[in-house]
C-alpha cells in the first residue's frame, strides 16, 4: 500500500469522503447538468431525476448536493453547459481533490477561489463545457 492508498483508506474510514456541492446563479438546466455529471461520476444524495426547479421571483437560488467520493471517479462523457457555472465545494482536502478530478473529466474547470482550514477546504470552481477537438 503506497502513501496515497493509505491516506485514501484513512479518509474513507473516517467518513471524510463526503463533499458538499452548491451551485448558484445559473439556469436550472445547467444546475441539472452539473448534478447529472456528479451522479455519473460519484454517488450523490440527489436522485438522477431530481431536476432543480425554476426559481420564481428575484434573488439568488442555490441548489445543493452531498457527494460521496469514497470510490474512485467513474468514467463519464463530457457534458454541455449553456454558460459557465460556479460550484462551491466543501470537504476534506483529499475528498475535494477527488471531486475536482472527477469534475475535470466532464467539464473544463478552473479554481477561482479557496479557503483552507485545518482539516477542510472550500473551493470555488468555474465549470465550462470542455472544448471539443476537431
Amino acid at each position: 500500500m503506497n502513501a496515497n492508498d493509505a491516506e485514501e483508506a484513512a479518509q474513507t474510514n473516517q467518513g471524510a469522503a463526503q463533499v458538499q456541492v452548491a451551485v448558484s446563479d445559473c439556469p436550472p438546466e445547467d444546475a441539472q447538468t452539473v448534478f447529472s455529471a456528479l451522479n455519473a461520476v460519484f454517488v450523490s444524495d440527489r436522485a438522477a431525476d431530481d431536476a432543480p426547479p425554476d426559481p420564481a421571483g428575484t434573488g439568488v437560488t442555490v441548489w445543493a448536493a452531498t457527494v460521496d467520493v469514497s470510490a474512485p471517479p467513474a468514467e463519464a462523457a463530457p457534458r454541455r453547459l449553456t454558460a459557465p457555472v460556479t460550484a462551491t465545494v466543501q470537504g476534506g482536502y483529499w475528498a475535494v481533490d477527488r471531486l475536482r478530478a472527477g469534475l475535470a473529466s466532464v467539464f473544463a474547470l478552473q479554481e477561482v477561489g479557496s479557503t483552507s482550514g485545518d482539516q477542510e477546504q472550500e473551493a470555488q470552481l468555474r465549470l465550462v463545457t470542455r472544448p471539443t477537438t476537431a
Side-chain angles (χ1 to χ4, degrees):
M1 181 181 282
N2 67 34
N4 287 339
D5 291 340
E7 180 180 351
E8 179 179 332
Q11 293 291 337
T12 301
N13 290 338
Q14 294 172 1
Q18 292 190 342
V19 179
Q20 304 299 314
V21 178
V23 175
S24 62
D25 294 333
C26 68
E29 50 276 357
D30 282 343
Q32 176 60 25
T33 299
V34 172
F35 293 128
S36 171
L38 286 169
N39 275 334
V41 178
F42 297 109
V43 174
S44 166
D45 67 347
R46 289 187 77 101
D49 61 351
D50 183 11
D54 197 0
T58 60
V60 176
T61 300
V62 177
W63 296 285
T66 301
V67 180
D68 182 342
V69 298
S70 57
E75 289 187 36
R79 307 287 169 108
R80 183 168 228 56
L81 298 167
T82 63
V85 172
T86 299
T88 302
V89 301
Q90 181 179 11
Y93 287 93
W94 168 87
V96 168
D97 285 345
R98 180 169 269 186
L99 182 103
R100 187 182 294 117
L103 283 173
S105 70
V106 180
F107 303 107
L109 66 87
Q110 174 186 17
E111 187 168 314
V112 293
S114 68
T115 304
S116 300
D118 285 343
Q119 298 180 21
E120 284 195 344
Q121 114 180 99
E122 179 177 290
Q124 284 191 324
L125 306 174
R126 183 175 181 263
L127 310 174
V128 297
T129 301
R130 183 176 285 290
T132 58
T133 56

